[in-house]
Amino acid sequence: MSSPSGNNADQTSNRVYIKSDEDGWVPAKLISHDADGATATVSVWSYADQNQIQSDGDNNASESQADQNHIQSDGDGPSQHVTGTHEVTVDLSAYAGRVLPLQNVGEDGTLREVADMVDLPFLHEAAILYNLKARHVASTPYTRTG
């Protein structure tokens, strides 16, 4: 998804994780935040099965396709079902430093998977869990932490 200005930072700096009672952490895209820093509005992709949730910079879930309930493909594996998108207002007081944790995605918006967790640009609980999930799906679950 390209930003109107063509700035690659838009591909990575607005990709965040939000807390979810149901799923622990879910990837989201920051839309806006209020001036006093109390809340933020994010866009969250909905998946039919929580096992299909991916931290992929929304590459597998474009808004137009998600709204049409199309089957998504990750390019070289099984398809996943995206059931839509919805906006969520997040209370930032529930997050350390009133900041949403950033996703570890490259300039192309795809998850940056690493074998050694200390190589994650943003090291926090959600980043560790999604890195482990990506490695498990790729049948390379073993990793280091230092």
Side-chain angles (χ1 to χ4, degrees), residues 22-23 25-28 43-62 66 69-73 79-86 103 130 133:
E22 188 175 316
D23 299 313
W25 292 95
V26 292
S43 178
V44 180
W45 277 262
S46 302
Y47 292 84
D49 177 2
Q50 71 106 7
N51 291 326
Q52 297 297 325
I53 298 173
Q54 294 183 21
S55 180
D56 63 0
D58 73 29
N59 284 337
N60 290 326
S62 72
N69 295 326
H70 283 199
I71 295 174
Q72 306 299 311
S73 172
S79 295
Q80 61 191 14
H81 294 275
V82 176
T83 60
T85 61
H86 59 282
Q103 293 181 35
Y130 276 92
K133 182 176 183 176

Side-chain angles (χ1 to χ4, degrees), residues 44-125:
V44 180
W45 277 262
S46 302
Y47 292 84
D49 177 2
Q50 71 106 7
N51 291 326
Q52 297 297 325
I53 298 173
Q54 294 183 21
S55 180
D56 63 0
D58 73 29
N59 284 337
N60 290 326
S62 72
E63 289 182 49
S64 62
Q65 289 175 327
D67 291 340
Q68 296 171 20
N69 295 326
H70 283 199
I71 295 174
Q72 306 299 311
S73 172
D74 65 8
D76 62 14
S79 295
Q80 61 191 14
H81 294 275
V82 176
T83 60
T85 61
H86 59 282
E87 288 188 6
V88 175
T89 300
V90 179
D91 178 4
L92 295 176
S93 67
Y95 296 85
R98 301 177 75 87
V99 176
L100 296 172
L102 292 173
Q103 293 181 35
N104 291 299
V105 293
E107 289 182 5
D108 61 352
T110 58
L111 177 67
R112 182 174 173 206
E113 178 188 330
V114 297
D116 189 338
M117 298 286 194
V118 298
D119 291 334
L120 288 169
F122 307 109
L123 184 60
H124 46 73
E125 179 183 356

